[in-house]
Amino acid sequence: MHEMSVAQQLLHLIRRNLNGANEEDVRSVRLRIGIGAGIVTESLRFCFEALVASSSFRHASLLIEETPFTIHCQACGSVSPSEPLILLCPACNSHRVQVLSGTEMELIEIEVADVEEKII
Amino acid sequence: MSVITIERKILEKNDEVAGRNRALFAEHDLFVLNVVSSPGSGKTSILERTIEQLRGKVSLAVIEGDVQTDIDAQRVARLGVPAVQIVTRGGCHLEANLVHEALKNIELQNIRILIIENVGNLVCPANYDLGEAMKVVVISTTEGDDKPLKYPNMFCFASVLLINKIDLLPYVNCNIEQLRLNALSINPNLRVFETSCTTGVGIQTWCEWLLQHTTHPE
Ligand SMILES: Nc1nc2c(ncn2[C@@H]2O[C@H](COP(=O)(O)OP(=O)(O)O)[C@@H](O)[C@H]2O)c(=O)[nH]1
Ligand SMILES: [Mg+2]
Ligand SMILES: [Zn+2]
């Protein structure tokens, strides 16, 4: 439900990191989204496409890398993949676990067209 | 093509402002709760009961988040507690900057506990840190015992679970032990309380814990 607000924040973040490039020249946007981040990736893609269609980012396509949910057990030291958001060590059943990955929502990089690749 | 490496959190702006809120809370020695649930689980009713229970023991203030109207802030203000309403106009969750703005309308130096009631929604508020010390998730017995499994995010990141409307247990198809087990299977560190705002059962136990926790955080 909040994918639209996330997509808007994403465009702001891209604008802040263009380093002088033009918005029209952004070709791809690569994200890292954990499977436990509470984001429906299809919905995020839909919102992104709806927002960019009528904006200067219209040539940008969205690439999403999904990261697995992994936990680190402080009891037995093991690192295991787990069902998203289940805070239980599958090796020793301890609850003393820390989430290592799988809740991130990050902008990794953007690709920008060079002069000769520009769409006129 | 050239690649611009960015490697930043998409919601970094929200996290930044949440950090500023947290610093402000620390400066005023304020204990802050972010209360989340589906619409109608009983967040405002629990706030009302909590305010009555803690009257004369500790000073409270409330920030209310709703999509529309200031009905909830009025309900709380009637009990003589400073209450500020945030209207999100469609937004399905509170964001740190909205709370930051609302804080300007509260005299923080006179307050010990600030309770933020989030917009009724069991999904979206999980991603937005407001600067709180802990999240309190409320679920009512009418929602069914499988909700923690279906909506794990909130249970995963909360510190306290209030199972509300236990007065309705005889009438609804909800196994409270199963509900508790399901929530603890997501997050075994959850502190669970059972409450009824109609009869008042469980409110005192919850409030004693809150008071204790405010003065001696674990
Ligand atoms: N039977 C019963 N009804 C409750 C209880 N707590 C709240 N309610 C009712 O549930 C409805 C929604 O409560 P409210 O506090 O507005 O929920 P919120 O949307 O989470 O803030 C209201 O009609 C309340 O009177 C309870 O413990 N038992
Ligand atoms: Mg309410
Ligand atoms: Zn283990």
Side-chain angles (χ1 to χ4, degrees), chain A residues 2 5 13 16 32 37-38 85 87 95 105 107-110 112 114 117, chain B residues 1-4 6-10 12 95 124 127-128 153 156 185-186 188:
Chain A
H2 57 307
S5 131
L13 183 59
R16 291 200 296 276
R32 184 183 297 119
L85 307 172
L87 303 182
H95 302 321
M105 283 169 51
L107 170 57
I108 305 173
E109 60 183 34
I110 58 176
V112 182
D114 299 324
E117 298 159 330
Chain B
M1 288 288 184
S2 21
V3 171
I4 304 178
I6 300 177
E7 290 288 353
R8 307 189 82 111
K9 290 185 178 182
I10 297 175
E12 67 170 15
E95 297 188 8
C124 312
N127 289 99
Y128 295 85
N153 297 57
C156 186
S185 75
I186 306 290

PDB file of all heavy atoms in Angstrom, chain A residues 2 5 13 16 32 37-38 85 87 95 105 107-110 112 114 117, chain B residues 1-4 6-10 12 95 124 127-128 153 156 185-186 188:
ATOM      1  N   HIS A   2       2.067   1.162   0.605  1.00  0.00           N
ATOM      2  CA  HIS A   2       2.898   2.362   0.667  1.00  0.00           C
ATOM      3  C   HIS A   2       3.907   2.386  -0.478  1.00  0.00           C
ATOM      4  O   HIS A   2       4.820   3.198  -0.474  1.00  0.00           O
ATOM      5  CB  HIS A   2       3.602   2.451   2.007  1.00  0.00           C
ATOM      6  CG  HIS A   2       4.439   1.255   2.317  1.00  0.00           C
ATOM      7  ND1 HIS A   2       3.956  -0.017   2.282  1.00  0.00           N
ATOM      8  CD2 HIS A   2       5.740   1.151   2.644  1.00  0.00           C
ATOM      9  CE1 HIS A   2       4.927  -0.844   2.601  1.00  0.00           C
ATOM     10  NE2 HIS A   2       6.007  -0.176   2.804  1.00  0.00           N
ATOM     11  N   SER A   5       4.414   5.778  -2.084  1.00  0.00           N
ATOM     12  CA  SER A   5       5.241   6.718  -1.324  1.00  0.00           C
ATOM     13  C   SER A   5       6.720   6.321  -1.430  1.00  0.00           C
ATOM     14  O   SER A   5       7.609   7.179  -1.521  1.00  0.00           O
ATOM     15  CB  SER A   5       4.731   6.788   0.117  1.00  0.00           C
ATOM     16  OG  SER A   5       5.732   6.647   1.054  1.00  0.00           O
ATOM     17  N   LEU A  13      15.428  10.593  -4.314  1.00  0.00           N
ATOM     18  CA  LEU A  13      16.794  10.136  -4.033  1.00  0.00           C
ATOM     19  C   LEU A  13      17.627  10.126  -5.314  1.00  0.00           C
ATOM     20  O   LEU A  13      18.804  10.511  -5.302  1.00  0.00           O
ATOM     21  CB  LEU A  13      16.734   8.730  -3.403  1.00  0.00           C
ATOM     22  CG  LEU A  13      18.054   8.109  -2.977  1.00  0.00           C
ATOM     23  CD1 LEU A  13      18.775   8.993  -1.950  1.00  0.00           C
ATOM     24  CD2 LEU A  13      17.828   6.721  -2.370  1.00  0.00           C
ATOM     25  N   ARG A  16      18.692  13.620  -6.165  1.00  0.00           N
ATOM     26  CA  ARG A  16      19.776  14.131  -5.315  1.00  0.00           C
ATOM     27  C   ARG A  16      21.133  13.535  -5.689  1.00  0.00           C
ATOM     28  O   ARG A  16      22.154  13.992  -5.200  1.00  0.00           O
ATOM     29  CB  ARG A  16      19.480  13.804  -3.832  1.00  0.00           C
ATOM     30  CG  ARG A  16      18.318  14.571  -3.225  1.00  0.00           C
ATOM     31  CD  ARG A  16      18.390  14.591  -1.691  1.00  0.00           C
ATOM     32  NE  ARG A  16      18.270  13.285  -1.063  1.00  0.00           N
ATOM     33  CZ  ARG A  16      17.110  12.682  -0.802  1.00  0.00           C
ATOM     34  NH1 ARG A  16      15.975  13.276  -1.123  1.00  0.00           N
ATOM     35  NH2 ARG A  16      17.080  11.498  -0.241  1.00  0.00           N
ATOM     36  N   ARG A  32      17.877  -2.823  -4.452  1.00  0.00           N
ATOM     37  CA  ARG A  32      18.030  -4.044  -3.650  1.00  0.00           C
ATOM     38  C   ARG A  32      16.872  -4.035  -2.648  1.00  0.00           C
ATOM     39  O   ARG A  32      16.781  -3.134  -1.808  1.00  0.00           O
ATOM     40  CB  ARG A  32      19.377  -4.013  -2.934  1.00  0.00           C
ATOM     41  CG  ARG A  32      19.686  -5.267  -2.144  1.00  0.00           C
ATOM     42  CD  ARG A  32      21.003  -5.144  -1.390  1.00  0.00           C
ATOM     43  NE  ARG A  32      22.143  -4.990  -2.278  1.00  0.00           N
ATOM     44  CZ  ARG A  32      22.956  -3.942  -2.284  1.00  0.00           C
ATOM     45  NH1 ARG A  32      22.773  -2.937  -1.439  1.00  0.00           N
ATOM     46  NH2 ARG A  32      23.979  -3.858  -3.130  1.00  0.00           N
ATOM     47  N   ALA A  37      11.085  -7.030   3.473  1.00  0.00           N
ATOM     48  CA  ALA A  37      11.012  -5.566   3.626  1.00  0.00           C
ATOM     49  C   ALA A  37       9.577  -5.064   3.636  1.00  0.00           C
ATOM     50  O   ALA A  37       9.336  -3.878   3.863  1.00  0.00           O
ATOM     51  CB  ALA A  37      11.799  -4.871   2.522  1.00  0.00           C
ATOM     52  N   GLY A  38       8.621  -5.941   3.365  1.00  0.00           N
ATOM     53  CA  GLY A  38       7.232  -5.496   3.354  1.00  0.00           C
ATOM     54  C   GLY A  38       6.878  -4.733   2.089  1.00  0.00           C
ATOM     55  O   GLY A  38       5.983  -3.897   2.094  1.00  0.00           O
ATOM     56  N   LEU A  85      10.999 -12.902   8.258  1.00  0.00           N
ATOM     57  CA  LEU A  85      10.471 -12.387   9.508  1.00  0.00           C
ATOM     58  C   LEU A  85      10.215 -13.428  10.590  1.00  0.00           C
ATOM     59  O   LEU A  85       9.560 -13.147  11.574  1.00  0.00           O
ATOM     60  CB  LEU A  85       9.202 -11.559   9.257  1.00  0.00           C
ATOM     61  CG  LEU A  85       9.384 -10.451   8.211  1.00  0.00           C
ATOM     62  CD1 LEU A  85       8.062  -9.806   7.879  1.00  0.00           C
ATOM     63  CD2 LEU A  85      10.369  -9.412   8.691  1.00  0.00           C
ATOM     64  N   LEU A  87      11.892 -15.071  13.547  1.00  0.00           N
ATOM     65  CA  LEU A  87      13.104 -14.828  14.329  1.00  0.00           C
ATOM     66  C   LEU A  87      13.457 -16.040  15.190  1.00  0.00           C
ATOM     67  O   LEU A  87      13.416 -15.987  16.411  1.00  0.00           O
ATOM     68  CB  LEU A  87      12.922 -13.578  15.197  1.00  0.00           C
ATOM     69  CG  LEU A  87      12.574 -12.286  14.454  1.00  0.00           C
ATOM     70  CD1 LEU A  87      12.463 -11.117  15.407  1.00  0.00           C
ATOM     71  CD2 LEU A  87      13.587 -11.991  13.361  1.00  0.00           C
ATOM     72  N   HIS A  95      16.052 -18.159  20.183  1.00  0.00           N
ATOM     73  CA  HIS A  95      15.387 -16.923  19.765  1.00  0.00           C
ATOM     74  C   HIS A  95      16.369 -15.764  19.688  1.00  0.00           C
ATOM     75  O   HIS A  95      16.010 -14.676  19.272  1.00  0.00           O
ATOM     76  CB  HIS A  95      14.320 -16.520  20.794  1.00  0.00           C
ATOM     77  CG  HIS A  95      13.291 -17.557  21.004  1.00  0.00           C
ATOM     78  ND1 HIS A  95      12.793 -18.306  19.971  1.00  0.00           N
ATOM     79  CD2 HIS A  95      12.663 -17.977  22.113  1.00  0.00           C
ATOM     80  CE1 HIS A  95      11.899 -19.142  20.449  1.00  0.00           C
ATOM     81  NE2 HIS A  95      11.812 -18.976  21.747  1.00  0.00           N
ATOM     82  N   MET A 105      15.935  -1.874   1.706  1.00  0.00           N
ATOM     83  CA  MET A 105      15.263  -1.177   0.595  1.00  0.00           C
ATOM     84  C   MET A 105      16.250  -0.134   0.134  1.00  0.00           C
ATOM     85  O   MET A 105      16.293   0.970   0.679  1.00  0.00           O
ATOM     86  CB  MET A 105      14.012  -0.450   1.104  1.00  0.00           C
ATOM     87  CG  MET A 105      12.833  -1.353   1.346  1.00  0.00           C
ATOM     88  SD  MET A 105      11.538  -0.483   2.238  1.00  0.00           S
ATOM     89  CE  MET A 105      11.374   0.949   1.258  1.00  0.00           C
ATOM     90  N   LEU A 107      18.704   1.862  -3.004  1.00  0.00           N
ATOM     91  CA  LEU A 107      19.022   2.216  -4.387  1.00  0.00           C
ATOM     92  C   LEU A 107      20.498   1.901  -4.578  1.00  0.00           C
ATOM     93  O   LEU A 107      21.358   2.483  -3.905  1.00  0.00           O
ATOM     94  CB  LEU A 107      18.745   3.710  -4.623  1.00  0.00           C
ATOM     95  CG  LEU A 107      19.250   4.299  -5.931  1.00  0.00           C
ATOM     96  CD1 LEU A 107      18.690   3.562  -7.140  1.00  0.00           C
ATOM     97  CD2 LEU A 107      18.891   5.783  -6.007  1.00  0.00           C
ATOM     98  N   ILE A 108      20.805   0.937  -5.447  1.00  0.00           N
ATOM     99  CA  ILE A 108      22.201   0.538  -5.639  1.00  0.00           C
ATOM    100  C   ILE A 108      22.896   1.504  -6.599  1.00  0.00           C
ATOM    101  O   ILE A 108      23.911   2.102  -6.271  1.00  0.00           O
ATOM    102  CB  ILE A 108      22.305  -0.891  -6.218  1.00  0.00           C
ATOM    103  CG1 ILE A 108      21.541  -1.883  -5.340  1.00  0.00           C
ATOM    104  CG2 ILE A 108      23.764  -1.301  -6.338  1.00  0.00           C
ATOM    105  CD1 ILE A 108      21.449  -3.279  -5.938  1.00  0.00           C
ATOM    106  N   GLU A 109      22.336   1.642  -7.811  1.00  0.00           N
ATOM    107  CA  GLU A 109      22.992   2.469  -8.826  1.00  0.00           C
ATOM    108  C   GLU A 109      22.009   2.855  -9.908  1.00  0.00           C
ATOM    109  O   GLU A 109      20.919   2.278 -10.013  1.00  0.00           O
ATOM    110  CB  GLU A 109      24.161   1.696  -9.462  1.00  0.00           C
ATOM    111  CG  GLU A 109      23.682   0.417 -10.135  1.00  0.00           C
ATOM    112  CD  GLU A 109      24.799  -0.446 -10.725  1.00  0.00           C
ATOM    113  OE1 GLU A 109      25.899  -0.476 -10.135  1.00  0.00           O
ATOM    114  OE2 GLU A 109      24.554  -1.071 -11.769  1.00  0.00           O
ATOM    115  N   ILE A 110      22.399   3.846 -10.691  1.00  0.00           N
ATOM    116  CA  ILE A 110      21.619   4.178 -11.884  1.00  0.00           C
ATOM    117  C   ILE A 110      22.563   4.176 -13.082  1.00  0.00           C
ATOM    118  O   ILE A 110      23.774   4.373 -12.933  1.00  0.00           O
ATOM    119  CB  ILE A 110      20.918   5.563 -11.768  1.00  0.00           C
ATOM    120  CG1 ILE A 110      21.942   6.666 -11.518  1.00  0.00           C
ATOM    121  CG2 ILE A 110      19.867   5.547 -10.675  1.00  0.00           C
ATOM    122  CD1 ILE A 110      21.323   8.053 -11.482  1.00  0.00           C
ATOM    123  N   VAL A 112      23.267   5.908 -16.806  1.00  0.00           N
ATOM    124  CA  VAL A 112      22.958   7.141 -17.519  1.00  0.00           C
ATOM    125  C   VAL A 112      23.545   7.064 -18.926  1.00  0.00           C
ATOM    126  O   VAL A 112      24.687   6.620 -19.096  1.00  0.00           O
ATOM    127  CB  VAL A 112      23.564   8.340 -16.754  1.00  0.00           C
ATOM    128  CG1 VAL A 112      23.226   9.643 -17.446  1.00  0.00           C
ATOM    129  CG2 VAL A 112      23.054   8.365 -15.322  1.00  0.00           C
ATOM    130  N   ASP A 114      25.316   8.088 -22.357  1.00  0.00           N
ATOM    131  CA  ASP A 114      26.334   9.051 -22.759  1.00  0.00           C
ATOM    132  C   ASP A 114      25.810   9.795 -23.989  1.00  0.00           C
ATOM    133  O   ASP A 114      24.772   9.439 -24.537  1.00  0.00           O
ATOM    134  CB  ASP A 114      27.645   8.314 -23.080  1.00  0.00           C
ATOM    135  CG  ASP A 114      28.144   7.565 -21.848  1.00  0.00           C
ATOM    136  OD1 ASP A 114      27.975   8.100 -20.733  1.00  0.00           O
ATOM    137  OD2 ASP A 114      28.641   6.437 -22.001  1.00  0.00           O
ATOM    138  N   GLU A 117      24.457   8.058 -27.085  1.00  0.00           N
ATOM    139  CA  GLU A 117      23.332   7.137 -26.874  1.00  0.00           C
ATOM    140  C   GLU A 117      22.035   7.882 -26.597  1.00  0.00           C
ATOM    141  O   GLU A 117      21.017   7.273 -26.312  1.00  0.00           O
ATOM    142  CB  GLU A 117      23.623   6.213 -25.688  1.00  0.00           C
ATOM    143  CG  GLU A 117      24.836   5.340 -25.893  1.00  0.00           C
ATOM    144  CD  GLU A 117      25.389   4.832 -24.561  1.00  0.00           C
ATOM    145  OE1 GLU A 117      25.240   5.532 -23.544  1.00  0.00           O
ATOM    146  OE2 GLU A 117      25.964   3.741 -24.567  1.00  0.00           O
TER     147      GLU A 117
ATOM    148  N   MET B   1      27.125   3.906 -21.888  1.00  0.00           N
ATOM    149  CA  MET B   1      26.435   4.115 -20.605  1.00  0.00           C
ATOM    150  C   MET B   1      27.450   4.371 -19.489  1.00  0.00           C
ATOM    151  O   MET B   1      28.486   3.721 -19.441  1.00  0.00           O
ATOM    152  CB  MET B   1      25.683   2.846 -20.197  1.00  0.00           C
ATOM    153  CG  MET B   1      24.458   2.535 -20.981  1.00  0.00           C
ATOM    154  SD  MET B   1      23.071   3.584 -20.696  1.00  0.00           S
ATOM    155  CE  MET B   1      21.925   2.718 -21.758  1.00  0.00           C
ATOM    156  N   SER B   2      27.119   5.254 -18.590  1.00  0.00           N
ATOM    157  CA  SER B   2      27.938   5.319 -17.377  1.00  0.00           C
ATOM    158  C   SER B   2      27.069   4.997 -16.166  1.00  0.00           C
ATOM    159  O   SER B   2      25.867   5.283 -16.156  1.00  0.00           O
ATOM    160  CB  SER B   2      28.582   6.694 -17.221  1.00  0.00           C
ATOM    161  OG  SER B   2      27.881   7.651 -17.960  1.00  0.00           O
ATOM    162  N   VAL B   3      27.725   4.385 -15.212  1.00  0.00           N
ATOM    163  CA  VAL B   3      27.014   3.949 -14.018  1.00  0.00           C
ATOM    164  C   VAL B   3      27.315   4.914 -12.870  1.00  0.00           C
ATOM    165  O   VAL B   3      28.471   5.256 -12.639  1.00  0.00           O
ATOM    166  CB  VAL B   3      27.457   2.518 -13.637  1.00  0.00           C
ATOM    167  CG1 VAL B   3      26.896   2.129 -12.281  1.00  0.00           C
ATOM    168  CG2 VAL B   3      27.029   1.530 -14.708  1.00  0.00           C
ATOM    169  N   ILE B   4      26.285   5.360 -12.198  1.00  0.00           N
ATOM    170  CA  ILE B   4      26.477   6.158 -10.985  1.00  0.00           C
ATOM    171  C   ILE B   4      26.117   5.271  -9.794  1.00  0.00           C
ATOM    172  O   ILE B   4      24.968   4.859  -9.646  1.00  0.00           O
ATOM    173  CB  ILE B   4      25.588   7.422 -10.993  1.00  0.00           C
ATOM    174  CG1 ILE B   4      25.859   8.259 -12.247  1.00  0.00           C
ATOM    175  CG2 ILE B   4      25.799   8.232  -9.719  1.00  0.00           C
ATOM    176  CD1 ILE B   4      24.973   9.507 -12.357  1.00  0.00           C
ATOM    177  N   ILE B   6      25.218   4.510  -6.109  1.00  0.00           N
ATOM    178  CA  ILE B   6      24.554   5.331  -5.090  1.00  0.00           C
ATOM    179  C   ILE B   6      24.544   4.641  -3.727  1.00  0.00           C
ATOM    180  O   ILE B   6      24.978   5.210  -2.735  1.00  0.00           O
ATOM    181  CB  ILE B   6      23.134   5.718  -5.564  1.00  0.00           C
ATOM    182  CG1 ILE B   6      23.254   6.530  -6.878  1.00  0.00           C
ATOM    183  CG2 ILE B   6      22.430   6.538  -4.484  1.00  0.00           C
ATOM    184  CD1 ILE B   6      21.967   6.915  -7.512  1.00  0.00           C
ATOM    185  N   GLU B   7      24.063   3.389  -3.676  1.00  0.00           N
ATOM    186  CA  GLU B   7      24.104   2.615  -2.411  1.00  0.00           C
ATOM    187  C   GLU B   7      23.537   3.390  -1.224  1.00  0.00           C
ATOM    188  O   GLU B   7      24.231   3.641  -0.237  1.00  0.00           O
ATOM    189  CB  GLU B   7      25.537   2.154  -2.096  1.00  0.00           C
ATOM    190  CG  GLU B   7      26.063   1.066  -3.026  1.00  0.00           C
ATOM    191  CD  GLU B   7      25.436  -0.315  -2.804  1.00  0.00           C
ATOM    192  OE1 GLU B   7      24.676  -0.486  -1.825  1.00  0.00           O
ATOM    193  OE2 GLU B   7      25.706  -1.205  -3.639  1.00  0.00           O
ATOM    194  N   ARG B   8      22.290   3.803  -1.322  1.00  0.00           N
ATOM    195  CA  ARG B   8      21.671   4.498  -0.194  1.00  0.00           C
ATOM    196  C   ARG B   8      20.290   3.920   0.054  1.00  0.00           C
ATOM    197  O   ARG B   8      19.647   3.395  -0.854  1.00  0.00           O
ATOM    198  CB  ARG B   8      21.519   5.988  -0.497  1.00  0.00           C
ATOM    199  CG  ARG B   8      22.787   6.664  -0.923  1.00  0.00           C
ATOM    200  CD  ARG B   8      22.547   8.150  -0.961  1.00  0.00           C
ATOM    201  NE  ARG B   8      22.685   8.691   0.381  1.00  0.00           N
ATOM    202  CZ  ARG B   8      23.700   9.478   0.734  1.00  0.00           C
ATOM    203  NH1 ARG B   8      24.615   9.818  -0.143  1.00  0.00           N
ATOM    204  NH2 ARG B   8      23.768   9.936   1.955  1.00  0.00           N
ATOM    205  N   LYS B   9      19.826   4.055   1.288  1.00  0.00           N
ATOM    206  CA  LYS B   9      18.475   3.601   1.618  1.00  0.00           C
ATOM    207  C   LYS B   9      17.448   4.483   0.918  1.00  0.00           C
ATOM    208  O   LYS B   9      17.580   5.712   0.934  1.00  0.00           O
ATOM    209  CB  LYS B   9      18.232   3.720   3.124  1.00  0.00           C
ATOM    210  CG  LYS B   9      19.021   2.744   3.934  1.00  0.00           C
ATOM    211  CD  LYS B   9      18.607   2.868   5.385  1.00  0.00           C
ATOM    212  CE  LYS B   9      19.353   1.857   6.216  1.00  0.00           C
ATOM    213  NZ  LYS B   9      18.952   1.920   7.619  1.00  0.00           N
ATOM    214  N   ILE B  10      16.425   3.857   0.374  1.00  0.00           N
ATOM    215  CA  ILE B  10      15.400   4.635  -0.337  1.00  0.00           C
ATOM    216  C   ILE B  10      14.702   5.597   0.632  1.00  0.00           C
ATOM    217  O   ILE B  10      14.377   6.715   0.282  1.00  0.00           O
ATOM    218  CB  ILE B  10      14.379   3.698  -1.018  1.00  0.00           C
ATOM    219  CG1 ILE B  10      15.094   2.837  -2.077  1.00  0.00           C
ATOM    220  CG2 ILE B  10      13.256   4.509  -1.671  1.00  0.00           C
ATOM    221  CD1 ILE B  10      14.208   1.786  -2.721  1.00  0.00           C
ATOM    222  N   GLU B  12      15.993   7.081   3.210  1.00  0.00           N
ATOM    223  CA  GLU B  12      17.015   7.705   4.060  1.00  0.00           C
ATOM    224  C   GLU B  12      16.546   9.037   4.660  1.00  0.00           C
ATOM    225  O   GLU B  12      16.893   9.372   5.778  1.00  0.00           O
ATOM    226  CB  GLU B  12      18.328   7.900   3.306  1.00  0.00           C
ATOM    227  CG  GLU B  12      18.256   8.910   2.180  1.00  0.00           C
ATOM    228  CD  GLU B  12      19.623   9.270   1.602  1.00  0.00           C
ATOM    229  OE1 GLU B  12      20.598   8.561   1.867  1.00  0.00           O
ATOM    230  OE2 GLU B  12      19.699  10.284   0.868  1.00  0.00           O
ATOM    231  N   GLU B  95       4.824   9.432   8.844  1.00  0.00           N
ATOM    232  CA  GLU B  95       6.238   9.537   8.512  1.00  0.00           C
ATOM    233  C   GLU B  95       6.906  10.454   9.526  1.00  0.00           C
ATOM    234  O   GLU B  95       6.250  11.274  10.182  1.00  0.00           O
ATOM    235  CB  GLU B  95       6.422  10.056   7.084  1.00  0.00           C
ATOM    236  CG  GLU B  95       5.818   9.081   6.087  1.00  0.00           C
ATOM    237  CD  GLU B  95       6.107   9.391   4.618  1.00  0.00           C
ATOM    238  OE1 GLU B  95       6.915  10.290   4.323  1.00  0.00           O
ATOM    239  OE2 GLU B  95       5.501   8.705   3.779  1.00  0.00           O
ATOM    240  N   CYS B 124       2.067  -0.966   6.328  1.00  0.00           N
ATOM    241  CA  CYS B 124       2.968   0.113   5.913  1.00  0.00           C
ATOM    242  C   CYS B 124       3.753   0.785   7.041  1.00  0.00           C
ATOM    243  O   CYS B 124       4.920   1.114   6.860  1.00  0.00           O
ATOM    244  CB  CYS B 124       2.196   1.144   5.119  1.00  0.00           C
ATOM    245  SG  CYS B 124       1.187   0.369   3.847  1.00  0.00           S
ATOM    246  N   ASN B 127       7.701   0.158   7.963  1.00  0.00           N
ATOM    247  CA  ASN B 127       8.887   0.654   7.268  1.00  0.00           C
ATOM    248  C   ASN B 127       9.317   2.048   7.696  1.00  0.00           C
ATOM    249  O   ASN B 127      10.374   2.505   7.313  1.00  0.00           O
ATOM    250  CB  ASN B 127       8.641   0.699   5.756  1.00  0.00           C
ATOM    251  CG  ASN B 127       8.595  -0.683   5.150  1.00  0.00           C
ATOM    252  OD1 ASN B 127       7.533  -1.224   4.917  1.00  0.00           O
ATOM    253  ND2 ASN B 127       9.750  -1.273   4.922  1.00  0.00           N
ATOM    254  N   TYR B 128       8.470   2.743   8.462  1.00  0.00           N
ATOM    255  CA  TYR B 128       8.749   4.147   8.756  1.00  0.00           C
ATOM    256  C   TYR B 128       9.054   4.349  10.233  1.00  0.00           C
ATOM    257  O   TYR B 128       8.153   4.371  11.069  1.00  0.00           O
ATOM    258  CB  TYR B 128       7.569   5.024   8.315  1.00  0.00           C
ATOM    259  CG  TYR B 128       7.384   4.999   6.811  1.00  0.00           C
ATOM    260  CD1 TYR B 128       6.653   3.989   6.201  1.00  0.00           C
ATOM    261  CD2 TYR B 128       8.001   5.957   6.008  1.00  0.00           C
ATOM    262  CE1 TYR B 128       6.520   3.940   4.818  1.00  0.00           C
ATOM    263  CE2 TYR B 128       7.868   5.921   4.634  1.00  0.00           C
ATOM    264  CZ  TYR B 128       7.126   4.915   4.040  1.00  0.00           C
ATOM    265  OH  TYR B 128       7.002   4.869   2.681  1.00  0.00           O
ATOM    266  N   ASN B 153       5.218  -8.436   9.459  1.00  0.00           N
ATOM    267  CA  ASN B 153       6.155  -7.307   9.611  1.00  0.00           C
ATOM    268  C   ASN B 153       6.047  -6.600  10.948  1.00  0.00           C
ATOM    269  O   ASN B 153       7.023  -6.374  11.645  1.00  0.00           O
ATOM    270  CB  ASN B 153       5.920  -6.250   8.527  1.00  0.00           C
ATOM    271  CG  ASN B 153       6.194  -6.796   7.161  1.00  0.00           C
ATOM    272  OD1 ASN B 153       5.592  -7.798   6.779  1.00  0.00           O
ATOM    273  ND2 ASN B 153       7.093  -6.188   6.437  1.00  0.00           N
ATOM    274  N   CYS B 156       7.171  -8.558  13.888  1.00  0.00           N
ATOM    275  CA  CYS B 156       8.616  -8.759  13.887  1.00  0.00           C
ATOM    276  C   CYS B 156       9.343  -7.586  14.537  1.00  0.00           C
ATOM    277  O   CYS B 156      10.311  -7.761  15.261  1.00  0.00           O
ATOM    278  CB  CYS B 156       9.076  -8.942  12.443  1.00  0.00           C
ATOM    279  SG  CYS B 156      10.794  -9.354  12.276  1.00  0.00           S
ATOM    280  N   SER B 185       5.917 -16.972  17.456  1.00  0.00           N
ATOM    281  CA  SER B 185       6.702 -17.708  16.457  1.00  0.00           C
ATOM    282  C   SER B 185       7.354 -16.720  15.487  1.00  0.00           C
ATOM    283  O   SER B 185       8.400 -17.013  14.913  1.00  0.00           O
ATOM    284  CB  SER B 185       5.834 -18.707  15.699  1.00  0.00           C
ATOM    285  OG  SER B 185       5.014 -18.045  14.754  1.00  0.00           O
ATOM    286  N   ILE B 186       6.768 -15.570  15.321  1.00  0.00           N
ATOM    287  CA  ILE B 186       7.389 -14.519  14.499  1.00  0.00           C
ATOM    288  C   ILE B 186       8.469 -13.822  15.311  1.00  0.00           C
ATOM    289  O   ILE B 186       9.585 -13.610  14.856  1.00  0.00           O
ATOM    290  CB  ILE B 186       6.349 -13.434  14.088  1.00  0.00           C
ATOM    291  CG1 ILE B 186       5.134 -14.041  13.395  1.00  0.00           C
ATOM    292  CG2 ILE B 186       7.000 -12.340  13.251  1.00  0.00           C
ATOM    293  CD1 ILE B 186       5.385 -14.570  12.044  1.00  0.00           C
ATOM    294  N   PRO B 188       9.821 -14.026  19.210  1.00  0.00           N
ATOM    295  CA  PRO B 188       9.759 -14.608  20.552  1.00  0.00           C
ATOM    296  C   PRO B 188      10.022 -13.582  21.655  1.00  0.00           C
ATOM    297  O   PRO B 188       9.737 -13.860  22.820  1.00  0.00           O
ATOM    298  CB  PRO B 188      10.879 -15.654  20.538  1.00  0.00           C
ATOM    299  CG  PRO B 188      11.260 -15.814  19.107  1.00  0.00           C
ATOM    300  CD  PRO B 188      10.920 -14.551  18.402  1.00  0.00           C
TER     301      PRO B 188
END
